[in-house]
Amino acid sequence: MFKKALEAKTQQRLSGADKKKLRRAIRDKFPRCSDTDLDALLPPKAEMMVAKLQNRVHVYSVEGEFPMFFDIDGRGSEIFPSVYALWRVPEIVPAFLLKGGEVSRFIIGGADLMFPGISVPSEGLPSFVAGEIWAVKVPGNPAPIAVGTTTMSSSEALKAGLRGKALRITHHYRDLLWESAEGRFAPNAGFLEDVVFEDPAFLSSRQESIACEGPSEVSNDQKDGAEDEDVTESVDEMNPDSMQMREMDGNNESSDKLAADIDTLTVADDASAEGSNVEDRHNVTSVDVDALLDKCLLQALHTTIKDKDLPLPGSTLWSNHVLPCRPQGVTLDIKKSSYKKLSKWLQAKSTAGLVSVKEDKHKKEVVLLGVNRNHPDYSTFRPEKRPVEKSDQVGEHAAKESQSNKTLNVVEVYKPSVHVNAIFTSVGADKGKLFTASEATDIVFRYIEQEKLVKPTDKSTVVLDATLCDALFKGAIKKGSMYPMEIRKKDLGSTFISRMQPHHVVTRGSDSVVRKGALKAIQIMTERRQGNKKVTRLSGLEAFLVDPEALASELQKKFACSTTVTELPGKKGYEVLVQGGVIDDLARHLIEQYGIPKRYIEVLDKTKK
């Protein structure tokens, strides 16, 4: 499942409703998981994150920690616990026990579990059905090393003589989901190393996995017998109550050295160190958040907020100015401050004299009206020169260069219809070809010159013969009305083109597409939703060869807000939803970064009355 490199398209916090929905789905999927177990995996008061991968997999984790669950189809029907979750609560799913530690190296190498590698208990093979989620354990260790789904039922397995594939492995220790946890899903994942843990099952699982990993990575010249002996010995000698975990790299190590290294590992009895370490990382007081808010505001007032930008809505101030000024890797949440709300914080700054604000009762939002740049706090503050901003500028410059190589080119073309086919046949033009407006106009004027239809007494008028009259007006004139006998040259081209089938050609870089009909404009609409919150909806991107998923990820970083992509009903494409009223900024971004002409962008703000 996780054999290719993982890349998250979007990563965002779960709302309260989504967290409840996830907990309900886990309870329904895993009956063994009690409320206590679920609280240990997904603490009720902790912030939950979801990373949406390019293969539609959703990975759920506690903010700043490891991924606990992943949903294969992203719809909540195929939820699996991660190895990290099974280390904390090993019994939430049933498990197969391997015959020996030597089998685990194949599982960790990415192979599925076969029935000959399973240790069948004396009471017989446990009962299961096809498609059930089971884990894989090593003898002497209660913590699983892999998780997957059964390929057949227990009755079918007995009929087959316990041969064949038993478990299709979905996720295992040391796969790319496990490895990416430290860098992508859990920025603080480094606490696994050199930290004392109070959960011996968690420790022993990690040690078992390391012990099982070693034999698959030793040099090929070692004998299989010695390899298996060392692995078995290392598994047997591990004691969860007297070992301390350290990250080990088994590359090019002999199994003897591996076993010796594991023997030297110990765990301290006092587990309080772990609690204090974790609390230090996560226990941030409201005073700290208040200080960070003030720092970000002053940084924004010095660097990004100009007097010409005022007045500025509070939501725009927060998303476009305050949040981008926070330190890299730091989460800034107004709810964790002593103010609890953005409006109260801005009013407090107004009372202090730093800024002047006013509450817009119509929009129910605080608006920033002015900045007191003579205020002591403003004068004494020295804005930081952030290397992050430089790298962002380099990234934007590179993105612009990349975008310039994929400039958008839109051409409106026309195909001859049954009305004008006679004109094209007369001049020898290809009726199956697409013509631009100027080329089509040249065709009709060539016919006029060929048939000498210009009125001798008035060179600006064309006399209509039967063929040209039918091409221009047949079916367009009401019954009983007279057909015109002549037409002005200035009206001839537009009338002739209106009788052809419109098409459009959109080219971006090496990609080009031809579609029937006129090119539809991109729709940008801002509306209010429950809780008086604004949301901006963007649709019609596919016509301009713009990937909605890529744009959503880009807008999430640019506007520091959450974005989602939903499929429109009737297979009419996708719609990008952006939190906040960013309708003008979004239109400007499409024009500047994607080269979409302004005439192809329709804007509607439903929040204005």
Side-chain angles (χ1 to χ4, degrees):
M1 183 66 195
F2 298 102
K3 295 181 180 180
K4 295 182 179 180
L6 297 174
E7 184 174 351
K9 293 187 297 185
T10 59
Q11 188 170 358
Q12 60 192 37
R13 286 184 180 178
L14 287 181
S15 63
D18 289 337
K19 286 195 288 187
K20 292 179 181 178
K21 182 179 179 181
L22 176 62
R23 291 174 69 92
R24 286 196 301 269
I26 293 173
R27 286 195 188 98
D28 296 340
K29 189 73 173 180
F30 307 104
R32 294 183 171 209
C33 186
S34 64
D35 291 340
T36 304
D37 295 337
L38 190 56
D39 291 343
L41 298 175
L42 305 176
K45 295 185 179 181
E47 295 291 345
M48 299 296 301
M49 304 293 295
V50 55
K52 300 179 181 179
L53 310 184
Q54 289 185 341
N55 56 358
R56 297 185 181 273
V57 176
H58 290 187
V59 181
Y60 298 96
S61 61
V62 179
E63 186 176 20
E65 295 188 12
F66 298 96
M68 290 298 167
F69 294 91
F70 59 93
D71 186 359
I72 291 181
D73 60 359
R75 300 178 181 177
S77 58
E78 296 188 58
I79 299 179
F80 287 79
S82 69
V83 170
Y84 295 107
L86 295 176
W87 286 354
R88 291 190 179 181
V89 187
E91 303 302 330
I92 61 173
V93 294
F96 290 116
L97 186 66
L98 299 181
K99 284 187 176 180
E102 66 274 8
V103 181
S104 63
R105 64 188 180 97
F106 298 105
I107 304 299
I108 295 175
D112 292 330
L113 178 62
M114 311 300 286
F115 277 111
I118 297 176
S119 176
V120 180
S122 57
E123 58 271 17
L125 187 68
S127 177
F128 55 86
V129 297
E132 276 191 3
I133 298 178
W134 280 62
V136 179
K137 293 184 179 180
V138 178
N141 194 322
I145 62 170
V147 64
T149 54
T150 54
T151 60
M152 63 181 74
S153 65
S154 54
S155 59
E156 292 173 340
L158 292 173
K159 290 180 181 179
L162 294 182
R163 294 193 176 275
K165 186 181 297 185
L167 197 68
R168 184 177 291 107
I169 300 300
T170 306
H171 162 56
H172 59 82
Y173 168 76
R174 279 296 185 188
D175 66 1
L176 290 178
L177 174 63
W178 191 96
E179 291 181 349
S180 65
E182 294 187 358
R184 187 181 301 272
F185 300 113
N188 296 326
F191 78 86
L192 271 175
E193 303 181 23
D194 302 325
V195 176
V196 180
F197 288 86
E198 61 182 352
D199 187 355
F202 189 93
L203 286 173
S204 59
S205 171
R206 185 170 173 86
Q207 293 166 343
E208 174 62 28
S209 302
I210 294 175
C212 296
E213 178 191 10
S216 64
E217 297 179 345
V218 296
S219 56
N220 293 329
D221 59 343
Q222 290 182 325
K223 296 181 180 179
D224 292 339
E227 178 182 4
D228 295 345
E229 180 181 354
D230 291 333
V231 174
T232 307
E233 181 181 356
S234 64
V235 172
D236 294 337
E237 291 181 358
M238 286 190 301
N239 182 359
D241 297 325
S242 61
M243 292 185 178
Q244 179 180 0
M245 280 314 304
R246 306 215 178 249
E247 188 71 36
M248 295 173 54
D249 186 356
N251 292 335
N252 301 323
E253 290 183 350
S254 67
S255 54
D256 293 336
K257 183 178 182 298
L258 178 63
D261 290 340
I262 293 179
D263 290 340
T264 61
L265 301 179
T266 57
V267 169
D269 294 332
D270 186 6
S272 61
E274 179 214 1
S276 61
N277 264 355
V278 175
E279 289 178 2
D280 291 343
R281 293 177 183 267
H282 299 284
N283 189 15
V284 180
T285 64
S286 60
V287 177
D288 298 331
V289 179
D290 291 348
L292 183 58
L293 283 172
D294 295 344
K295 181 180 179 181
C296 293
L297 177 61
L298 290 170
Q299 180 76 17
L301 294 178
H302 275 274
T303 57
T304 62
I305 299 176
K306 309 300 179 184
D307 291 336
K308 64 180 181 179
D309 299 329
L310 304 176
L312 196 64
S315 59
T316 305
L317 169 67
W318 176 260
S319 60
N320 293 2
H321 299 280
V322 176
L323 284 181
C325 290
R326 67 188 186 274
Q328 184 183 18
V330 174
T331 301
L332 187 59
D333 190 352
I334 191 72
K335 294 181 180 179
K336 294 182 179 179
S337 68
S338 60
Y339 305 100
K340 304 300 181 184
K341 292 184 178 180
L342 178 64
S343 57
K344 291 185 177 180
W345 174 54
L346 292 178
Q347 288 169 356
K349 298 295 107 180
S350 177
T351 304
L354 177 61
V355 296
S356 58
V357 299
K358 179 182 178 181
E359 184 175 359
D360 189 338
K361 296 183 179 179
H362 176 68
K363 296 183 178 180
K364 298 181 179 180
E365 184 178 17
V366 174
V367 179
L368 178 64
L369 299 178
V371 179
N372 182 10
R373 303 193 185 273
N374 295 323
H375 193 274
D377 291 347
Y378 183 91
S379 304
T380 57
F381 183 79
R382 295 293 176 263
E384 299 178 0
K385 294 182 179 180
R386 301 172 182 250
V388 176
E389 295 178 352
K390 295 182 180 179
S391 63
D392 288 344
Q393 293 173 359
V394 173
E396 291 179 1
H397 180 68
K400 289 181 180 179
E401 289 185 351
S402 176
Q403 192 63 39
S404 64
N405 296 331
K406 295 185 177 181
T407 55
L408 178 70
N409 185 24
V410 179
V411 179
E412 295 178 346
V413 292
Y414 303 87
K415 186 178 181 180
S417 64
V418 65
H419 303 293
V420 299
N421 279 342
I423 302 296
F424 282 83
T425 303
S426 299
V427 299
D430 185 3
K431 295 184 294 183
K433 182 182 175 183
L434 296 173
F435 299 87
T436 63
S438 60
E439 291 172 345
T441 304
D442 291 341
I443 294 293
V444 69
F445 276 100
R446 281 169 54 189
Y447 177 80
I448 293 171
E449 293 177 2
Q450 176 180 305
E451 302 297 330
K452 299 179 180 179
L453 299 178
V454 178
K455 191 174 183 179
T457 58
D458 186 0
K459 300 295 184 182
S460 63
T461 304
V462 176
V463 179
L464 300 178
D465 62 1
T467 303
L468 185 57
C469 185
D470 288 345
L472 297 179
F473 300 108
K474 186 177 181 180
I477 301 296
K478 293 182 180 180
K479 290 184 179 181
S481 301
M482 294 291 294
Y483 280 85
M485 302 300 295
E486 56 186 32
I487 188 174
R488 306 287 293 182
K489 280 187 177 179
K490 64 179 182 179
D491 300 326
L492 179 61
S494 58
T495 305
F496 185 75
I497 291 172
S498 67
R499 302 284 284 177
M500 301 176 67
Q501 295 178 354
H503 288 65
H504 60 273
V505 181
V506 180
T507 305
R508 186 182 294 279
S510 59
D511 299 330
S512 182
V513 64
V514 180
R515 295 188 178 94
K516 187 177 180 180
L519 182 59
K520 295 182 180 180
I522 291 177
Q523 305 283 336
I524 306 178
M525 180 175 63
T526 297
E527 60 186 9
R528 292 188 186 276
R529 290 196 169 181
Q530 186 177 5
N532 201 34
K533 295 181 179 180
K534 292 182 180 180
V535 62
T536 302
R537 306 172 65 175
L538 175 65
S539 60
L541 297 169
E542 294 84 359
F544 296 88
L545 302 181
V546 177
D547 183 11
E549 296 283 359
L551 178 62
S553 178
E554 183 179 342
L555 296 178
Q556 183 182 19
K557 298 176 183 178
K558 180 177 179 63
F559 298 130
C561 62
S562 63
T563 59
T564 55
V565 179
T566 58
E567 187 174 1
L568 294 171
K571 297 182 179 180
K572 295 181 180 180
Y574 291 86
E575 181 181 58
V576 178
L577 275 71
V578 183
Q579 295 297 327
V582 293
I583 187 169
D584 295 330
D585 295 332
L586 183 53
R588 190 180 305 111
H589 182 76
L590 292 176
I591 295 172
E592 295 175 354
Q593 297 298 325
Y594 287 88
I596 297 175
K598 190 174 182 179
R599 67 180 183 275
Y600 290 120
I601 299 178
E602 294 182 0
V603 175
L604 176 61
D605 192 349
K606 288 188 175 182
T607 62
K608 295 181 180 180
K609 295 184 179 179

